[in-house]
Amino acid sequence: IGLVANPFDAYNSIPHSFTSVMNKPVIGIVTHMDQQPSPELQERTAAFLREGGAQQVFFVSPLSGEGMEELRHYLDEEGEKL
């Protein structure tokens, strides 16, 4: 399960412990890294995703490709386990 969040969005709508009843691995994906969000915005967004249940957080930009290889690798590895 992937929870996706934009660090520039002041209001994120994933409730605390949202995924606690789900029986699958949960990851968080922080988007828009090509727009260079501040470290504070990055950490705030990652913390929000962790509170929602993400066990691991990835920082990506599909436009620039930043973080995409790490995310693909994780998905390939986890896919083999499932």
Side-chain angles (χ1 to χ4, degrees):
I1 298 169
L3 304 176
V4 181
N6 175 345
F8 298 105
D9 187 355
Y11 176 75
N12 287 300
S13 59
I14 301 170
H16 189 329
S17 299
F18 174 71
T19 62
S20 62
V21 297
M22 299 176 190
N23 193 20
K24 297 284 182 189
V26 179
I27 61 170
I29 303 168
V30 179
T31 62
H32 293 82
M33 293 307 293
D34 55 289
Q35 296 177 15
Q36 300 178 345
S38 69
E40 293 81 16
L41 283 178
Q42 291 178 43
E43 184 49 42
R44 182 194 73 185
T45 307
F48 166 76
L49 291 169
R50 286 186 197 100
E51 288 173 7
Q55 296 140 351
Q56 186 168 353
V57 178
F58 296 89
F59 298 86
V60 304
S61 168
L63 293 177
S64 70
E66 179 180 349
M68 296 302 295
E69 186 62 33
E70 181 182 32
L71 177 58
R72 280 188 203 102
H73 178 74
Y74 174 85
L75 293 173
D76 286 345
E77 293 277 321
E78 286 302 309
E80 290 176 11
K81 292 178 188 175
L82 299 175

